[in-house]
């Protein structure tokens, strides 16, 4: 069974940093396009970052460019998201997602087949 487990969320002051991790079961991380999304209370889920299966192509939402860095370690089945310069508006539940078998960059949440349970990020202003 495919499992994605996020960790690393928490409470941080504005300007601080957090490093989220997504641990994927089996070989899914190495054979999937991966993405990070977030959802704040009362708002729709929104794209944060995505990385191709090979790790060669990465994209970010404008809100995170210059502050967030996504990477992947296929040997460890991990997809970290480093978040620096956090702002109050970054407060949300963060989810990682996988689209197995895809070689493309996936920016649309509908493209992803598997999701983690989410990890809460709260940024105090």
């Amino acid at each position: 069974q495919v499992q994605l487990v996020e960790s690393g969320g928490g409470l941080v002051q504005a300007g601080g940093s957090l490093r989220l991790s997504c641990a994927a079961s089996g070989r899914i991380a190495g054979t999937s396009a991966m993405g990070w999304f977030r959802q704040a209370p009362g708002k729709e889920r929104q794209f944060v970052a995505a990385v191709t299966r090979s790790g060669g192509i990465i994209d970010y939402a404008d809100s995170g460019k210059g502050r967030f860095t996504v990477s992947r370690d296929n040997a460890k089945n991990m997809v970290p998201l480093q978040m620096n310069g956090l702002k109050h508006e970054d407060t949300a539940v963060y989810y990682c997602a996988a689209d197995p078998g895809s070689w493309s960059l996936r920016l649309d949440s509908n493209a992803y087949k598997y999701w983690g349970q989410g990890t809460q990020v709260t940024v105090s202003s």
Side-chain angles (χ1 to χ4, degrees), residues 21-60:
S21 291
C22 175
S25 64
R27 297 174 58 227
I28 187 174
T31 60
S32 304
M34 301 294 293
W36 281 95
F37 292 79
R38 67 187 184 186
Q39 188 166 19
K43 296 186 177 181
E44 293 186 353
R45 188 168 295 186
Q46 62 178 195
F47 168 72
V48 175
V51 56
T52 54
R53 177 172 171 172
S54 67
I57 303 175
I58 292 173
D59 200 7
Y60 300 94

Side-chain angles (χ1 to χ4, degrees), residues 46-123:
Q46 62 178 195
F47 168 72
V48 175
V51 56
T52 54
R53 177 172 171 172
S54 67
I57 303 175
I58 292 173
D59 200 7
Y60 300 94
D62 288 343
S63 59
K65 287 181 178 177
R67 301 188 298 126
F68 294 177
T69 303
V70 67
S71 58
R72 64 188 303 157
D73 184 339
N74 288 342
K76 296 181 179 180
N77 294 321
M78 299 288 287
V79 182
L81 177 68
Q82 178 67 40
M83 305 189 297
N84 299 326
L86 284 163
K87 305 175 183 179
H88 178 66
E89 50 264 41
D90 294 319
T91 296
V93 178
Y94 284 70
Y95 300 89
C96 72
D99 180 21
S102 172
W103 287 95
S104 302
L105 193 67
R106 299 299 197 191
L107 308 186
D108 185 348
S109 61
N110 292 321
Y112 288 91
K113 183 175 181 179
Y114 298 106
W115 293 82
Q117 85 290 346
T119 185
Q120 176 71 47
V121 171
T122 303
V123 184

